[in-house]
Amino acid sequence: MATEVANKKVVLKRYIERGETPTESIMELVTAEAITLKVPEASPPAVLVKNLYLSCDPYGRFIMSRPEEGIKITSAPPNSPVRGYGVAKVVDSTHPDFKAGDYLWGITFWEEYSLITPTEFNFKINHTDVPLSYYAGLLGMPGLTAYVGFHEISSPKKGELVFVSAASGAVGQLVGQFAKLMGCYVVGSAGSDEKVNLLKNKLGFDNAFNYKKESDLGAALKRYFPEGIDIYFDNVGGAMLDAVLCNMRLGGRVTVCGMISQYNLKALEGVHNLLSIIGNCVRVQGFTVGQYLHLYRDFEEKVVNYVKEGKITYLEDVAEGLEAAPAAFVGLFEGKNIGKKLVVVAREQ
Ligand code: NDP
């Protein structure tokens, strides 16, 4: 007979409203619910998984928000467990792509066990000889984002001058290192001296600065890029994007990955320096990682090799236990994370 166990979960109590900064109080740890560790007979092909690592991602704010026109991320209804990326072990499966004992990464829920109907966003983990937690970041969604955002969207060339914002975070730290592996000059911005130090002395960036200490972002950029910027990998939007636009080189590319500085604002800040993209023939292009999932297996092989060859340094910021998840998520918007923020639900490898 299938085992029934208590299933702790983090539930969204209510939507985050526009203009509201996420706080822990919008989520609640529920401990009383039970789950049977077997895919129900009437269910469509599904997997029952034990969640191991959960990824904290800024886009989670949109999952927790009231559905809004123009935002293409589906909200999770209040009173349901928070949805997000994670790494899990398959306990039972009726899905042809997965069997009990497999590890997978992809969309799951903030609870100990989840019943998942796999989508194109769930991948079997092929390499279990690297830390499984890497599939919540480096080898998962943020890693693929950095990879396609840099190699597919930014059209990089050896020797080009690259600027990355939120550079010590999940995506930024990898963009900088992919750019270095290609022979680019790379500068990152981050929100503390500790992060700046890590960028320069651990993650291999050529230089870095603390944007919170700069009264004039344009002047700071001129200091690090006297000849201008070829590629700006934008994770933050807002004032930094505006300052960058006046510092681009002829034929430069602005890759718009994220705009975290805008996510909690009621009315988004305007961008004022768009005129400069004409004279400098700058290409500004947004993207979502979901459009590039077909590249995942190639990416996985390449980056697993980088890890094994010691070509990538990867910073994780680990919170212990499901109960730590709300604070871990909220901390992203205060810059509390140093590296990829993830939550350990259970350790098993
Ligand atoms: P991070 O790990 O970088 O965490 C977020 C960081 O953003 C914080 O640590 C903080 O760093 C910085 N930050 C927070 N608030 C502000 C603010 N008001 N102004 C400037 N910086 C701020 O997150 P990720 O690497 O996971 O994500 C980076 C960006 O990429 C986000 O915008 C995210 O939405 C986007 N993204 C886009 C995807 C896509 O498909 N297009 C996929 C995945 C992510 P600091 O201390 O340096 O300020």
Side-chain angles (χ1 to χ4, degrees):
M1 215 177 82
T3 322
E4 190 173 273
V5 295
N7 191 22
K8 241 192 302 183
K9 53 184 72 188
V10 174
V11 167
L12 183 67
K13 278 162 65 180
R14 62 163 177 83
Y15 285 128
I16 305 173
E17 299 298 338
R18 187 177 251 267
E20 183 182 359
T21 298
T23 56
E24 290 175 52
S25 63
I26 56 159
M27 290 169 257
E28 182 176 36
L29 187 73
V30 176
T31 54
E33 287 190 19
I35 186 169
T36 303
L37 297 184
K38 193 151 184 54
V39 175
E41 267 172 28
S43 159
V47 287
L48 194 298
V49 299
K50 177 179 182 179
N51 291 308
L52 304 178
Y53 302 100
L54 299 174
S55 169
C56 294
D57 297 292
Y59 94 111
R61 194 205 181 285
F62 298 106
I63 291 180
M64 299 179 200
S65 297
R66 197 178 293 286
E68 238 184 271
E69 217 176 303
I71 306 281
K72 290 196 168 162
I73 298 169
T74 319
S75 302
N79 299 317
S80 64
V82 173
R83 187 178 83 233
Y85 288 92
V87 177
K89 184 173 187 178
V90 178
V91 176
D92 186 37
S93 173
T94 56
H95 191 285
D97 294 349
F98 302 94
K99 60 179 191 315
D102 283 348
Y103 293 96
L104 62 77
W105 77 268
I107 296 290
T108 184
F109 299 92
W110 286 18
E111 54 192 353
E112 290 175 300
Y113 295 90
S114 297
L115 181 66
I116 301 169
T117 305
T119 66
E120 74 274 20
F121 270 109
N122 292 94
F123 294 88
K124 185 182 162 195
I125 291 177
N126 286 336
H127 296 273
T128 51
D129 53 347
V130 295
L132 281 179
S133 64
Y134 284 16
Y135 284 86
L138 171 62
L139 294 168
M141 186 279 283
L144 185 63
T145 302
Y147 188 82
V148 298
F150 186 64
H151 288 293
E152 298 291 317
I153 311 290
S154 307
S155 311
K157 291 190 262 317
K158 188 176 176 194
E160 285 196 317
L161 314 178
V162 177
F163 176 52
V164 188
S165 53
S168 67
V171 175
Q173 60 172 308
L174 301 174
V175 173
Q177 293 185 72
F178 292 147
K180 282 309 300 173
L181 283 169
M182 238 197 123
C184 297
Y185 167 79
V186 187
V187 175
S189 64
S192 75
D193 291 346
E194 185 185 0
K195 292 181 181 184
V196 167
N197 185 40
L198 284 167
L199 289 169
K200 290 200 286 194
N201 299 317
K202 189 158 180 170
L203 296 171
F205 283 57
D206 294 292
N207 224 324
F209 64 93
N210 180 348
Y211 69 94
K212 290 183 179 164
K213 282 186 161 173
E214 300 289 343
S215 54
D216 181 341
L217 292 175
L221 291 168
K222 280 205 170 56
R223 218 161 56 230
Y224 295 100
F225 295 96
E227 295 168 21
I229 298 166
D230 290 305
I231 295 172
Y232 172 43
F233 195 100
D234 188 13
N235 286 315
V236 302
M240 186 65 90
L241 173 59
D242 237 344
V244 166
L245 289 177
C246 294
N247 282 279
M248 294 301 291
R249 293 179 93 186
L250 194 65
R253 282 83 67 204
V254 174
T255 296
V256 185
C257 174
M259 294 199 171
I260 194 168
S261 74
Q262 307 297 295
Y263 296 169
N264 297 331
L265 302 182
K266 191 151 198 169
L268 305 197
E269 290 168 341
V271 179
H272 305 282
N273 296 322
L274 285 171
L275 205 54
S276 63
I277 70 177
I278 303 171
N280 284 322
C281 306
V282 171
R283 189 182 77 207
V284 180
Q285 188 177 342
F287 75 101
T288 64
V289 65
Q291 294 167 295
Y292 294 89
L293 298 180
H294 57 285
L295 298 181
Y296 179 70
R297 290 300 177 193
D298 287 347
F299 156 84
E300 182 190 25
E301 292 308 314
K302 191 176 268 185
V303 177
V304 161
N305 283 333
Y306 284 162
V307 172
K308 290 182 179 169
E309 292 162 9
K311 288 185 174 163
I312 290 266
T313 301
Y314 177 51
L315 282 184
E316 287 181 324
D317 184 339
V318 178
E320 291 290 335
L322 202 48
E323 52 283 3
F329 170 72
V330 165
L332 295 175
F333 298 90
E334 299 160 24
K336 283 191 177 160
N337 60 307
I338 299 184
K340 169 66 204 161
K341 190 79 204 181
L342 61 106
V343 177
V344 183
V345 184
R347 278 197 172 80
E348 192 174 333
Q349 193 161 9

